[in-house]
Amino acid sequence: MSDKRPIGVFDSGIGGLTVLKSLLQYLPHEDYIYLGDTARTPYGNKSAEAVRQYAGQITSFLASQDVKAIVVACNTVSAAAIETVKEKAWPVPVFEVISPLVMQAAHFVKQADSNRVGVLATRRTVRSGQYPKAMSTIVKDDVSVEQIACPIFVELVEEGIWDGPFAKAAVDHYLAAWKADAPDAVLLACTHFPLLKPLIESFLPEAEVMESGPAVSLVVADALDRQERLNESEHIGECQFYCTDTIESFVELAESFLGQPVENIRQLDWKDVPC
Ligand code: DGL
């Protein structure tokens, strides 16, 4: 059996493109609808209630586009609003980004015989405590989870400042506590942060720095395969993009990151979308 319907992917902005890029590598024959809620980014400093409201609205929109699955390419939504997303999406299956990354980290700590994991995330994700909770559920032995909220990273990435002295100063500022003694594994628990990965890796040369995209893509690929819902056609998957603010800056950043033209893009006005 083959299911040719697209996969919905969303984030507060361009960060979720780090997940989309992996999905395009692992599942190149699928079509995708990507929504970046650029008018309301960042989510990480907002209340859990606001994040639930935004995520619910986006999920209703994606479900109305007849997607076969929804990938929540946002840790903040995965941490604060996953039940709302599942409720609005039902019966469409939903994939979040926290457990795949924690599973990968759990595998690493076991192999490396390590007991220290670092988590870099937004304030909302850190406050939710979802990473330490998931880690203690999956890894039975004692692993200490040290979290640092890095809200400015999201702003830098949305501004296209992925390198240079300004971004480096932000990395130095937030990661200072780990300079002399870093955790063995550092999880980029915000989908915006992989764009700063080279800077983070050079600041923490001993640490294994991990991101969500490949981990969640493997989970999605495996689930669709087992359910016989992969797109079996050999065509190269197409992406339809939506953003909720002006498209110019989104297109420029998205093209630069994805390394491909971003042509199918529309600006979505929530006033025109029924809830
Ligand atoms: N990229 C998102 C995350 O993974 C959201 C960041 C934000 O909007 O603050 O948490």
Side-chain angles (χ1 to χ4, degrees):
M1 245 176 52
S2 173
D3 188 341
K4 293 191 166 53
R5 292 176 300 158
I7 297 173
V9 182
F10 76 92
D11 179 45
S12 65
I14 65 159
L17 295 176
T18 61
V19 173
L20 180 67
K21 196 171 184 170
S22 289
L23 286 165
L24 286 163
Q25 280 160 4
Y26 285 83
L27 292 167
H29 305 303
E30 300 294 336
D31 294 328
Y32 297 91
I33 298 179
Y34 182 89
L35 191 149
D37 194 5
T38 44
R40 301 187 290 204
T41 193
Y43 282 5
N45 294 336
K46 305 235 165 47
S47 67
E49 197 185 7
V51 175
R52 279 196 289 271
Q53 189 204 327
Y54 302 161
Q57 202 173 17
I58 293 169
T59 306
S60 300
F61 171 73
L62 290 174
S64 75
Q65 303 300 298
D66 196 25
V67 292
K68 66 178 170 186
I70 292 178
V71 179
V72 180
C74 175
N75 283 267
T76 306
V77 172
S78 299
I82 199 65
E83 289 312 319
T84 305
V85 174
K86 286 183 177 164
E87 205 177 288
K88 298 266 181 195
W90 197 87
V92 176
V94 172
F95 297 90
E96 47 81 31
V97 280
I98 297 177
S99 19
L101 187 54
V102 169
M103 290 298 283
Q104 194 186 320
H107 182 71
F108 174 84
V109 291
K110 201 167 169 220
Q111 297 287 316
D113 198 17
S114 149
N115 61 1
R116 262 184 90 198
V117 171
V119 171
L120 302 177
T122 64
R123 278 207 186 96
R124 176 67 32 227
T125 300
V126 166
R127 284 188 190 147
S128 76
Q130 291 294 336
Y131 270 90
K133 198 169 144 198
M135 195 59 87
S136 69
T137 310
I138 293 168
V139 186
K140 300 294 172 217
D141 308 322
D142 273 355
V143 172
S144 86
V145 179
E146 299 162 38
Q147 305 190 91
I148 300 179
C150 313
I152 301 295
F153 285 3
V154 178
E155 315 272 0
L156 286 169
V157 168
E158 287 292 325
E159 280 299 315
I161 304 172
W162 305 340
D163 202 354
F166 201 24
K168 190 175 172 308
V171 170
D172 292 358
H173 170 78
Y174 284 121
L175 304 193
W178 291 346
K179 180 72 186 158
D181 185 21
D184 307 302
V186 170
L187 312 190
L188 302 184
C190 170
T191 54
H192 281 72
F193 297 179
L195 285 137
L196 301 174
K197 194 173 176 187
L199 284 180
I200 295 168
E201 282 178 329
S202 65
F203 192 83
L204 306 172
E206 306 295 327
E208 180 76 17
V209 180
M210 301 177 181
E211 58 181 290
S212 312
V216 70
S217 298
L218 277 171
V219 171
V220 175
D222 181 55
L224 292 180
D225 188 24
R226 275 189 291 108
Q227 295 158 10
E228 298 185 346
R229 296 200 305 118
L230 289 167
N231 188 335
E232 303 286 357
S233 66
E234 286 298 304
H235 87 307
I236 299 297
E238 286 170 13
C239 300
Q240 168 70 57
F241 294 91
Y242 289 93
C243 57
T244 54
D245 206 335
T246 50
I247 57 178
E248 293 80 12
S249 55
F250 182 90
V251 168
E252 201 180 306
L253 294 176
E255 287 186 338
S256 144
F257 176 65
L258 293 174
Q260 65 180 56
V262 169
E263 278 150 358
N264 299 331
I265 178 154
R266 284 182 220 153
Q267 185 178 346
L268 200 64
D269 188 337
W270 289 122
K271 290 199 293 301
D272 305 331
V273 180
C275 285

